[in-house]
Amino acid sequence: MTTVATETAFAVATEAAATDRIEVLAEGAWAPVCDLERLAPGRGVAALLPDGRQAAVFRDHLDRIHAIANRDPFTGAYVLSRGLLGSTADGRVYVASPLLKQRFDLVTGECLDDESVRIVVHPTRLSPA
Amino acid sequence: MTTTTRPTVLLVGYGMVGHRFLEALADAGAADRYRVVVLAEEPRHAYDRVALTSYFSGKTPEDLLLAEDGFAAKHGYEIHLSDPATAIDREARTVTTASGRSIAYDTLVLATGSYPFVPPVDGKDAEGCFVYRTIEDLHAIEAYAAGSRVGAVVGGGLLGLEAAGALKGLGLQTHVVEFAPRLMPVQVDEGGGEALRRTIEEMGVVVHTGIGTTAVTVSPEGAANGMTFTDGSSLDTDLVVFSAGVRPRDQLARDCGLKVGERGGIAVDENCRTSDENVFAIGECALAVDGRVYGLVAPGYEMAGAVAHQLADKAAKPFTGADLSTKLKLLGVDVASFGDAFGTTPGALDVVYSDSRSGIYKKLVVTPEGALLGGILVGDAEAYSSLRPLAGTGTPLPVPAESLVLPAGAGGPVSLGSSALPDEAVVCNCHNVTKGEVRAAVTEHSCGTVPEVKKCTKAGTGCGSCIKLLSTIVSDELEASGIEVDKGLCPCFGQTRAELYEIVRVKRISTHRRLLAEHGRLGGEGCEVCKPTVGSIIASLAPELEASGHVLDGEQAALQDTNDHFLANLQKNGSYSVVPRIPGGEITPEGLIVIGEVARDFGLYTKITGGQRIDLFGATVDQLPLIWTRLVEAGFESGHAYGKSLRTVKSCVGSTWCRYGVQDSVAMAIHLELRYRGLRSPHKLKSAVSGCARECAEARGKDFGIIATSNGWNLYVGGNGGATPRHADLLAQDLDDDQLIKLIDRFLMFYIRTADRLERTSAWLERIEGGLDHVRDVVVHDSLGIADELEALMANHVSDYQDEWAATLADPDRMRRFVSFVNAPGVEDPSIRFTPERGQVKPDLTLLATEADLLAALDPDNSLLLEVR
């Protein structure tokens, strides 16, 4: 697993309409998630990707849309979409796993509590209805 | 070093002072210079006899033990329990024991303590007559009281009043008989005795003073059935406790010809050495060089330290006499006496405040120059810990003495900060620790908390009355050295949970975002710690804030942990468990059938919980609303197993069916569970109601537990099971239904207001300043004047309650979250699979091992099989 942190493009919803559709990039194609209004700031939803994988999609307090793998690598359970969002003192936004509370950076996919662990991050975008 | 070359120190008597001697010897680094042998009469290791009465309010004999595990082994001490010494041969330097052992010594230390004095009246040995000295005595009293109605205590001193409190607590009609004209004649003067008497009589204890007992009358079966007195009166009673003072146990010393005092006590010099240079005597068995026998633990500890230091060849402080200061809580009344309490110093003056209506009496004895000599405090001894160290220092008080005794609102009382104390003032009387030593612990040994200072200096580990002062000194000292302690809830907030609660309440802030913006120390998202905490505070205060009471509305929804978010409990494979409320554990056969049918139809694993309800495991988020639709239709509601809130109120079957029950525990449990259901709190809350003292509902292991008595209910608080078990402490007794509910309302709201995040009531009670006494003052005696407010908060909670699941099912907006995939409604989560075990299901974890396994299981032909809608 690579240790270089790469930043992935994410959508910003500040100017978007409630009916704009959130999409995530997986295997080279954009997959639909839901309308923006379905996603409350600070919470996540789970989306099924065309290849059978799952993504956890979040909206943070700055209205940015993030998508990461839904699988919690510490337990194997597909639950990250149900974690709570937080931010560190230096402004990194993360989700805390609802099972054993490890934190994952939503922009880089790095685990903040175990640097050897990193999960997949998906780019996101908003498409007008 | 071999055992043959080490001289033997033989300690006879293993009480508090004996134990202190062993500790002091080890602390002085001399434990391995001697072979140390200990002979104990009682069947257990040394315990806290001062706190003996706490056995009746929930402490077990194990709680009272003084030594930590492995103490004797660590220092190589040989302790023989249940084997008292029976004779000393000073010529041969041997001691014979009850079991026939003969032990040779080089140095003998007698710490045999004292025995209760029983006046030589007829009938004193009848069945039903007891003394109050050991745990075994307490066991016997407790057993005998179960069949008794009336109890009398002979002796209105310190121990006598403790015993009276215990009898009262056991549900007996209680009398105290004191020969002197007032209660506690040794510690308080006439005014103090009157204040004490009035308060104690108000509690229903009958006080007889100025009369002596002439006989205990005995039934033909040989059991005590009454008493007669010197004034010709008599009293019918089933049980008599003699607590008329103690006498030094000096028989061993007498038998071997050691010098003893005319009125008892083994005579010692200022080094605690007896008339035989190889024999020491310490504690209550010793007659000190000032001609007194000290019946308090602190002087005993001083003597123990003095002897240990001599054996360690260290400079020992001679024991020439001691301060008799004491502070006690007897029957809930504070009584303190310190320094020259009776004003016997030539030229002594006194300042007295007496309010017989509220049972408060305060007297300070001062010199003409205004230096404090001593004092007596009854009814309110708050000032004891700051005043006692000042007594006898000769420094004039920094404020006029009268301002220290006046009540609030009358220009006082002034409380003295720790800065008023000189460094040499003794803060902890039990272990003789000065303010200077406490300060040094903070500045030189970098102790930053009271527990660390206690460990380092031993201050506060005796009677505990100085802990409040100790914490003031520690925080003053930390402040002075510029050390800041981060008490903040999380990186986002510098405030504690209790402080945030006050901010939310006073400023009526109803969102986490606003609280973070206005009061946070970090901007940003917040975190997984403050979000649920603030969510819980807002939920507890929802009616006051005019916020929605439903945890899934508005911003609230984004603050909740996943359990609250889905109103169910997340399990390891991503599925949830469901717990319907079964108030008091009472359920109809029809109710059981519905639960059974739901579990069967949805393929759920079922298990009975410890809280007398049924847990259904393995539901997916999509199934939760379907399951709850059926449960709500059948009349069930949310059990809040997912929330930091009231879980269950367990009950035994109570007086309706049980031949021992004295109250209807099931009805009370149901009533309480319905009253407090849904109440959001800093941590989960558990409760139970037992219908009699047999305690089948295990109420004393709960946050609030209720035990029926023939007169009503006893309320216990702060109990816990789990990893750190704690028996709940008695908060109030013999309550009627309304009183009980009023006190629980206040207790819970006070806890919610002041506890830290995830702090159970047991830890809160241990941490909160003033501990149980403070909580009792606030909850029972309304010392902060907030009882009305706390009751009103609870009344709002009760009237605002709604079943979260019924309300969720009725609202399409709240229902939208219950899908596995937001972009594929109706598609089940393929990662949640089960395999059979013992006739039910369990999570199939093999699919979760790697993502490749899951995909392979989904797609055996390696072709895409999922169509996304």
Side-chain angles (χ1 to χ4, degrees):
Chain A
M1 202 161 277
T2 171
T3 53
V4 182
T6 50
E7 297 224 344
T8 310
F10 49 77
V12 180
T14 353
E15 307 277 304
T19 52
D20 283 4
R21 195 168 70 174
I22 301 170
E23 296 176 342
V24 305
L25 186 64
E27 304 286 307
W30 290 96
V33 178
C34 61
D35 290 352
L36 177 63
E37 52 100 25
R38 280 293 297 272
L39 199 48
R43 276 246 90 100
V45 292
L48 189 60
L49 301 175
D51 63 355
R53 287 172 215 274
Q54 299 182 18
V57 186
F58 303 95
R59 178 174 176 179
D60 70 16
H61 69 291
L62 298 174
D63 255 350
R64 298 176 301 188
I65 310 297
H66 305 278
I68 57 170
N70 193 29
R71 182 173 181 272
D72 172 5
F74 292 93
T75 58
Y78 289 72
V79 294
L80 291 184
S81 66
R82 302 180 207 154
L84 283 173
L85 298 197
S87 60
T88 61
D90 54 2
R92 297 171 79 180
V93 176
Y94 60 81
V95 62
S97 167
L99 279 169
L100 300 175
K101 311 295 175 202
Q102 289 91 356
R103 299 167 302 159
F104 300 91
D105 187 313
L106 294 183
V107 177
T108 65
E110 286 167 319
C111 176
L112 301 180
D113 302 295
D114 182 348
E115 56 184 26
S116 69
V117 176
R118 191 155 169 210
I119 59 174
V120 169
V121 178
H122 299 278
T124 63
R125 73 175 186 190
L126 284 157
S127 305
Chain B
M1 193 178 322
T2 66
T3 44
T4 49
T5 62
R6 286 189 301 171
T8 300
V9 171
L10 177 57
L11 170 66
V12 174
Y14 191 33
M16 296 180 77
V17 170
H19 181 71
R20 180 76 195 110
F21 167 74
L22 296 180
E23 279 185 335
L25 196 64
D27 289 348
D32 55 5
R33 297 201 350 217
Y34 298 95
R35 171 182 174 229
V36 180
V37 184
V38 185
L39 296 177
E41 178 177 40
E42 289 185 57
R44 62 189 85 241
H45 287 261
Y47 55 90
D48 188 352
R49 210 184 295 279
V50 174
L52 194 61
T53 303
S54 65
Y55 167 78
F56 287 120
S57 55
K59 290 276 198 285
T60 63
E62 289 70 39
D63 291 336
L64 295 176
L65 289 181
L66 291 171
E68 48 205 76
D69 278 349
F71 169 79
K74 181 177 165 195
H75 300 297
Y77 296 149
E78 294 167 36
I79 300 180
H80 302 285
L81 299 179
S82 303
D83 197 11
T86 49
I88 301 168
D89 182 340
R90 293 199 287 126
E91 282 289 307
R93 282 205 246 150
T94 59
V95 169
T96 315
T97 74
S99 73
R101 273 196 189 92
S102 172
I103 299 167
Y105 66 82
D106 296 282
T107 303
L108 179 63
V109 179
L110 298 173
T112 46
S114 56
Y115 64 91
F117 169 67
V118 178
V121 295
D122 287 344
K124 68 181 167 61
D125 298 317
E127 196 187 319
C129 291
F130 299 91
V131 294
Y132 198 85
R133 183 77 184 159
T134 64
I135 286 176
E136 276 61 38
D137 293 336
L138 268 53
H139 282 314
I141 292 171
E142 189 180 31
Y144 201 80
S148 305
R149 199 175 51 84
V150 183
V153 177
V154 179
L158 192 159
L159 263 180
L161 293 183
E162 290 235 358
L167 295 189
K168 181 96 192 4
L170 290 169
L172 300 189
Q173 202 190 96
T174 305
H175 296 258
V176 172
V177 183
E178 168 58 47
F179 184 71
R182 62 172 185 275
L183 293 173
M184 292 190 73
V186 181
Q187 287 84 6
V188 306
D189 59 7
E190 206 173 311
E194 258 323 292
L196 192 57
R197 175 192 191 119
R198 210 168 296 110
T199 316
I200 286 174
E201 283 185 336
E202 264 171 34
M203 294 173 192
V205 173
V206 186
V207 178
H208 313 262
T209 52
I211 57 172
T213 306
T214 48
V216 173
T217 54
V218 182
S219 71
E221 292 78 36
N225 62 6
M227 298 163 78
T228 57
F229 303 111
T230 47
D231 64 352
S233 63
S234 63
L235 172 71
D236 290 340
T237 182
D238 309 315
L239 188 152
V240 180
V241 177
F242 288 103
S243 190
V246 294
R247 297 287 183 271
R249 291 183 72 181
D250 53 14
Q251 198 59 46
L252 276 175
R254 282 174 193 274
D255 293 347
C256 71
L258 286 172
K259 193 177 156 212
V260 294
E262 242 173 72
R263 289 189 296 159
I266 308 165
V268 295
D269 65 11
E270 57 182 22
N271 295 319
C272 298
R273 211 179 281 271
T274 65
S275 52
D276 179 334
E277 60 166 358
N278 299 316
V279 183
F280 293 91
I282 56 178
E284 295 184 322
C285 66
L287 175 67
V289 73
D290 64 348
R292 307 177 69 156
V293 172
Y294 287 91
L296 292 173
V297 74
Y301 280 2
E302 261 187 72
M303 294 187 224
V307 174
H309 275 218
Q310 290 169 66
L311 293 179
D313 293 327
K314 288 194 169 169
K317 200 174 133 211
F319 183 87
T320 52
D323 182 18
L324 289 175
S325 302
T326 38
K327 179 189 171 205
L328 313 137
K329 200 172 201 82
L330 295 166
L331 293 151
V333 188
D334 280 326
V335 180
S337 159
F338 59 97
D340 180 10
F342 291 92
T344 53
T345 310
L349 305 169
D350 48 7
V351 179
V352 178
Y353 170 80
S354 171
D355 175 358
S356 40
R357 269 176 321 158
S358 47
I360 290 176
Y361 176 85
K362 298 180 182 182
K363 179 174 89 168
L364 297 184
V365 180
V366 293
T367 65
E369 294 74 38
L372 188 64
L373 290 169
I376 294 169
L377 306 167
V378 175
D380 171 13
E382 189 71 19
Y384 171 78
S385 64
S386 57
L387 291 176
R388 187 197 45 75
L390 284 173
T393 55
T395 329
L397 286 166
V399 293
E402 57 273 22
S403 67
L404 295 168
V405 296
L406 284 175
V414 179
S415 60
L416 293 172
S418 75
S419 58
L421 292 178
D423 265 355
E424 59 277 11
V426 175
V427 173
C428 170
N429 224 13
C430 300
H431 291 285
N432 206 11
V433 183
T434 63
K435 180 190 168 195
E437 290 169 81
V438 173
R439 288 183 47 206
V442 177
T443 53
E444 286 161 33
H445 304 286
S446 50
C447 299
T449 63
V450 173
E452 282 168 20
V453 170
K454 281 167 78 175
K455 206 166 173 196
C456 176
T457 63
K458 281 201 153 40
T461 58
C463 72
S465 71
C466 63
I467 287 179
K468 205 161 178 183
L469 178 62
L470 208 56
S471 98
T472 318
I473 298 174
V474 171
S475 49
D476 286 356
E477 207 52 44
L478 285 173
E479 207 168 296
S481 31
I483 298 168
E484 222 174 289
V485 189
D486 187 1
K487 291 182 294 189
L489 173 70
C490 63
C492 314
F493 285 101
Q495 297 87 348
T496 62
R497 181 195 168 279
E499 288 163 345
L500 290 176
Y501 180 98
E502 291 305 318
I503 293 170
V504 167
R505 188 177 66 88
V506 174
K507 297 188 72 178
R508 305 171 71 82
I509 294 176
S510 59
T511 65
H512 173 267
R513 189 168 275 208
R514 187 177 146 209
L515 188 67
L516 186 64
E518 294 177 13
H519 299 277
R521 54 180 164 185
L522 273 188
E525 182 71 43
C527 71
E528 72 280 15
V529 171
C530 60
K531 281 179 171 178
T533 305
V534 172
S536 161
I537 293 173
I538 292 170
S540 309
L541 286 169
E544 284 66 37
L545 303 174
E546 283 158 27
S548 165
H550 200 289
V551 293
L552 300 188
D553 283 352
E555 192 216 34
Q556 277 275 312
L559 303 180
Q560 308 300 333
D561 274 320
T562 185
N563 285 0
D564 285 274
H565 192 64
F566 287 103
L567 307 173
N569 289 44
L570 180 64
Q571 303 300 327
K572 65 194 294 181
N573 67 338
S575 68
Y576 287 82
S577 79
V578 169
V579 185
R581 186 168 297 290
I582 301 178
E586 183 183 88
I587 186 164
T588 60
E590 287 72 25
L592 276 175
I593 287 167
V594 169
I595 292 179
E597 285 173 346
V598 166
R600 183 194 59 206
D601 296 351
F602 289 90
L604 305 175
Y605 168 77
T606 58
K607 189 167 191 318
I608 308 286
T609 72
Q612 301 185 334
R613 41 194 198 172
I614 300 169
D615 210 340
L616 313 173
F617 290 80
T620 63
V621 290
D622 313 75
Q623 289 174 330
L624 289 171
L626 307 173
I627 290 170
W628 273 104
T629 301
R630 291 190 38 191
L631 291 172
V632 168
E633 259 170 30
F636 286 105
E637 50 179 45
S638 167
H640 293 97
Y642 46 80
K644 302 294 178 231
S645 55
L646 178 80
R647 297 288 168 84
T648 71
V649 183
K650 208 173 150 175
S651 69
C652 68
V653 77
S655 58
T656 319
W657 292 90
C658 176
R659 60 206 156 107
Y660 297 115
V662 291
Q663 304 284 348
D664 186 353
S665 50
V666 179
M668 180 53 77
I670 292 172
H671 183 71
L672 295 176
E673 184 157 343
L674 295 181
R675 184 170 180 82
Y676 303 120
R677 63 188 162 176
L679 179 69
R680 290 298 201 274
S681 54
H683 209 314
K684 61 187 169 190
L685 289 167
K686 296 182 176 182
S687 178
V689 184
S690 276
C692 79
R694 284 177 176 75
E695 240 286 71
C696 297
E698 298 168 333
R700 284 189 41 209
K702 305 298 181 191
D703 293 281
F704 57 105
I706 295 99
I707 301 177
T709 71
S710 48
N711 304 320
W713 306 99
N714 284 357
L715 172 59
Y716 295 83
V717 296
N720 202 353
T724 44
R726 182 183 192 276
H727 261 129
D729 293 316
L730 182 64
L731 186 74
Q733 57 195 40
D734 294 337
L735 304 165
D736 65 29
D737 289 7
D738 291 343
Q739 290 170 326
L740 174 70
I741 284 157
K742 186 184 280 224
L743 291 188
I744 301 174
D745 282 2
R746 294 175 183 179
F747 172 77
L748 291 177
M749 278 300 172
F750 187 53
Y751 162 66
I752 288 172
R753 190 168 190 159
T754 55
D756 275 338
R757 164 186 175 263
L758 299 186
E759 184 176 45
R760 287 290 291 271
T761 56
S762 55
W764 169 72
L765 209 54
E766 300 271 332
R767 173 193 56 93
I768 194 169
E769 203 172 300
L772 176 69
D773 287 344
H774 174 61
V775 171
R776 186 185 287 117
D777 283 345
V778 173
V779 171
V780 183
H781 306 302
D782 193 17
S783 62
L784 297 181
I786 57 170
D788 290 346
E789 196 185 317
L790 298 176
E791 286 173 38
L793 283 169
M794 190 61 86
N796 278 341
H797 161 76
V798 173
S799 61
D800 229 46
Y801 169 81
Q802 52 177 340
D803 172 29
E804 280 167 359
W805 261 111
T808 300
L809 294 174
D811 181 341
D813 213 42
R814 294 172 185 153
M815 285 287 284
R816 291 207 305 188
R817 79 198 58 220
F818 293 99
V819 290
S820 290
F821 301 111
V822 69
N823 61 347
V827 175
E828 283 180 15
D829 185 341
S831 71
I832 299 179
R833 288 280 185 274
F834 300 93
T835 57
E837 184 175 70
R838 293 189 298 275
Q840 297 203 63
V841 297
K842 69 170 185 179
D844 180 357
L845 298 175
T846 55
L847 281 183
L848 302 179
T850 68
E851 191 145 52
D853 287 346
L854 177 64
L855 293 175
L858 290 177
D859 188 11
D861 305 328
N862 209 19
S863 64
L864 188 69
L865 97 176
L866 277 165
E867 187 191 331
V868 176
R869 278 183 278 173

